[in-house]
Amino acid sequence: MESQYDVVVIGGGPGGTAAAATVAEAGLRTLLVEREPMPRFHVGESLMPEVYWPLERLGMVDRIREAGFVNKESVQFVSANGKESAPFYFRQHDERECSTTWQVERAEFDQMLFDRAEELGADCYDDTRILDIRMEGERATGVLLRDSKGTEHEIQAKVVVDASGQQSLIANKLKLKEVDPNLKKIAIWSYYKNALRDDGENEGATIILQCEHRKAWFWFIPQSRGVTSIGCVGDRSFLLDGKQSPTEIFEREVLNCPGMVRRLEPATRVGDIRLTKEFSYTTKQHSGEGWVLVGDAFGFIDPVYSSGVYFALEMGIRAGDAIIEGHAKGDYSGDQLGKWAEEFKSGSRWIRKLVDVFYTPEFSIGRFLKAHPQHQGNLVDLLIGRTFHDGAGKIFDDLDPALKMAVEEARK
C-alpha cells in the first residue's frame, strides 16, 4: 500500500468496484479498500436487465454468464388476495440478450467485481477499516485507515470516492444523509432450500407478494443450488412492535401471505434471520471538492424493483468517468466530480415514483393498465431499468392523475 494515490475508493460493493475499475483502467493510481474480509455477505441478489451495460463496460458479461447464476427472465407480482399477475417477460419486450439477467449470490458476484478492479490495476485491500476521512475545510484530502494486520496508514488522494454503503461515511461526517419520511421501512429476510418455484421461463423470476393486510410484502428471489432469498418488508412502526423477535415477526408475516405459505411448504430455512432498518434515504449533496458519493452512500430507494445493484454500477462508472475527465484537467471540484448526478437523479426518480405506486393500497396498477394498455411497454421498460432516456416517465402522464383520483375516492 502506497501513501499517495490519485483516487481512494471506500467500499468493495458494486459501486466501489465499478468506480475503482474504471479509473484504474484509465491509468489513475487507485486504492480500493473494503471493511469486511472478502468474499463478504450482502443482501440484494436480484439484478435489473439493464445491468448488462455497465457489466459490459467492465468486461464482465461473459464471466457473469459463465458463473452459474440463475437466469432471471421475468418478474411477477402477487396481490393481497393471492391473485398472481401474468409474468412480465423481458424478452417479449426486447429480444436482445441484454433482456436476460441474473439472480446472484452477492458474495460471489462482488468478489468477481473486486477481482476485476485489481486486474485492471487498482490496489485492492479487504479487511481494512477507514478510521477517518481527512478534510481540509470542505476539501477531502485522503483517509486514515487500519489494515488487516492492525497497522494504521495515512493515505493522501486527489479524490475520495465514498461507496461505503449504508455506512455513508462522508454523508454522515458532513451530516448530508436524509431518511425518506415516507419510506421508513425495515427488511427481515433469510434463505431457504427447496422453496417452490414456478416452471419454465418463470422459474428464475423475482416474485413480489403482498401480505393480506397490505402492510408488508415479501420478495422471492431464486438462487443457485436450490436456495431462495426470501425477505419481508414493511413499515418499521408496524413490523417492530417491540413484543416479538425478528424470527417471530418473519414467521407471523409468512402466515399473512398465502402465496408465500404455499411456496415454503417443502422448504427448509438454511440461513439466519437478518434485519435492516430504515434503508430508504437520500443525500442533500452528492459531491464536493475532492470527494463524490456512489451506490448506497449516495442514496437508496427501496428493494421492491431490485434497482440497487444496477444503480450502484451505473453510478460507479459515471463517477469514474467524471474523475478521469477531471484528472486530465486538474479539476477536482464538486461540480466536476458530480457532473453526472443530476442526470442520474432525473432518471432514477421514475423508479422512486413506481415505489410510491406500489405502496399506495388504494391503487391497482393492473386496473390502470387495462384502462391504459398503451403504457404496458413503458412499464416493462422501467422494470428492466431503462430510465435514462427521454420519455422514460411517459406512463406518469396518465398514472399520476389516476393515482391521485384513486386516493381521493378512497378518502370520501
Side-chain angles (χ1 to χ4, degrees), residues 45 68-74 76 78 84 87 89 102-105 190-207 209 219-230 259-268 270:
E45 301 92 348
F69 298 126
V70 168
N71 283 348
K72 175 183 172 183
E73 310 274 355
S74 56
Q76 187 174 17
V78 180
E84 299 189 1
Y89 289 109
W102 302 275
Q103 312 280 26
V104 300
E105 285 79 12
S190 190
Y191 298 87
Y192 284 78
K193 186 85 170 181
N194 297 323
L196 188 63
R197 302 179 182 180
D198 290 346
D199 297 326
E201 289 182 315
N202 209 44
E203 182 180 1
T206 292
I207 305 175
L209 305 96
W219 74 65
F220 183 98
I221 300 174
Q223 297 183 284
S224 60
R225 296 178 283 274
V227 174
T228 302
S229 171
I230 295 175
M260 188 57 72
V261 170
R262 177 178 70 84
R263 286 172 169 80
L264 290 184
E265 281 179 353
T268 302
V270 292

Side-chain angles (χ1 to χ4, degrees), residues 234-255:
D235 286 346
R236 179 175 181 174
S237 58
F238 170 72
L239 289 182
L240 287 188
D241 57 11
K243 298 176 183 178
Q244 294 181 301
S245 69
T247 299
E248 290 171 327
I249 294 168
F250 185 89
E251 293 174 348
R252 177 193 78 198
E253 292 309 313
V254 166
L255 297 177

Side-chain angles (χ1 to χ4, degrees), residues 42-59:
H42 203 284
V43 71
E45 301 92 348
S46 188
L47 306 185
M48 278 183 154
E50 283 295 275
V51 79
Y52 180 94
W53 305 109
L55 289 176
E56 182 184 57
R57 167 72 184 272
L58 297 172

Side-chain angles (χ1 to χ4, degrees), residues 275-293:
L275 182 149
T276 187
K277 303 177 184 178
E278 294 186 349
F279 46 75
S280 295
Y281 54 87
T282 187
T283 43
K284 58 187 177 183
Q285 182 182 345
H286 316 301
S287 60
E289 186 75 23
W291 61 268
V292 62
L293 311 179

Side-chain angles (χ1 to χ4, degrees), residues 34-340:
E34 162 59 36
R35 179 179 63 170
E36 303 295 333
M38 296 289 288
R40 50 95 169 107
F41 169 83
H42 203 284
V43 71
E45 301 92 348
S46 188
L47 306 185
M48 278 183 154
E50 283 295 275
V51 79
Y52 180 94
W53 305 109
L55 289 176
E56 182 184 57
R57 167 72 184 272
L58 297 172
M60 292 295 295
V61 168
D62 288 342
R63 300 183 191 192
I64 298 299
R65 186 184 291 119
E66 294 165 3
F69 298 126
V70 168
N71 283 348
K72 175 183 172 183
E73 310 274 355
S74 56
V75 62
Q76 187 174 17
F77 297 88
V78 180
S79 68
N81 61 14
K83 183 179 179 181
E84 299 189 1
S85 73
F88 292 89
Y89 289 109
F90 306 132
R91 276 191 177 269
Q92 288 181 356
H93 183 63
D94 185 339
E95 295 183 353
R96 293 179 298 168
E97 64 174 341
C98 61
S99 293
T100 296
T101 188
W102 302 275
Q103 312 280 26
V104 300
E105 285 79 12
R106 281 291 302 278
E108 184 178 347
F109 179 78
D110 289 8
Q111 180 72 63
M112 293 173 71
L113 292 170
F114 193 81
D115 292 344
R116 180 58 171 160
E118 186 171 43
E119 181 182 341
L120 291 173
D123 290 348
C124 299
Y125 292 85
D126 64 348
D127 197 14
T128 298
R129 184 173 292 270
I130 299 296
L131 303 178
D132 189 29
I133 310 292
R134 296 306 201 196
M135 307 285 292
E136 291 182 0
E138 297 182 352
R139 180 168 66 93
T141 60
V143 298
L144 174 66
L145 59 81
R146 181 185 297 126
D147 66 23
S148 60
K149 297 179 180 178
T151 303
E152 293 187 5
H153 301 263
E154 193 77 48
I155 308 294
Q156 294 182 339
K158 296 181 176 71
V159 179
V160 176
V161 178
D162 185 357
S164 61
Q166 294 191 19
Q167 273 190 293
S168 305
L169 293 177
I170 290 179
N172 283 329
K173 183 182 181 72
L174 301 181
K175 297 180 172 54
L176 303 175
K177 198 171 181 179
E178 297 176 328
V179 173
D180 191 319
N182 297 316
L183 289 175
K184 290 188 175 181
K185 310 291 182 181
I186 68 166
I188 305 172
W189 75 94
S190 190
Y191 298 87
Y192 284 78
K193 186 85 170 181
N194 297 323
L196 188 63
R197 302 179 182 180
D198 290 346
D199 297 326
E201 289 182 315
N202 209 44
E203 182 180 1
T206 292
I207 305 175
I208 303 298
L209 305 96
Q210 286 274 13
C211 292
E212 289 180 310
H213 49 56
R214 296 184 66 98
K215 295 181 180 179
W217 60 273
F218 278 87
W219 74 65
F220 183 98
I221 300 174
Q223 297 183 284
S224 60
R225 296 178 283 274
V227 174
T228 302
S229 171
I230 295 175
C232 179
V233 179
D235 286 346
R236 179 175 181 174
S237 58
F238 170 72
L239 289 182
L240 287 188
D241 57 11
K243 298 176 183 178
Q244 294 181 301
S245 69
T247 299
E248 290 171 327
I249 294 168
F250 185 89
E251 293 174 348
R252 177 193 78 198
E253 292 309 313
V254 166
L255 297 177
N256 285 315
C257 188
M260 188 57 72
V261 170
R262 177 178 70 84
R263 286 172 169 80
L264 290 184
E265 281 179 353
T268 302
R269 183 160 61 85
V270 292
D272 295 333
I273 296 287
R274 299 172 180 264
L275 182 149
T276 187
K277 303 177 184 178
E278 294 186 349
F279 46 75
S280 295
Y281 54 87
T282 187
T283 43
K284 58 187 177 183
Q285 182 182 345
H286 316 301
S287 60
E289 186 75 23
W291 61 268
V292 62
L293 311 179
V294 303
D296 287 0
F298 182 106
F300 184 70
I301 301 173
D302 188 274
V304 64
Y305 296 113
S306 304
S307 58
V309 171
Y310 167 51
F311 281 168
L313 287 167
E314 188 71 24
M315 282 188 270
I317 290 174
R318 291 181 183 221
D321 285 341
I323 293 167
I324 294 165
E325 181 182 275
H327 182 73
K329 300 186 297 185
D331 181 1
Y332 305 107
S333 65
D335 287 345
Q336 171 62 39
L337 301 181
K339 62 182 299 183
W340 53 274

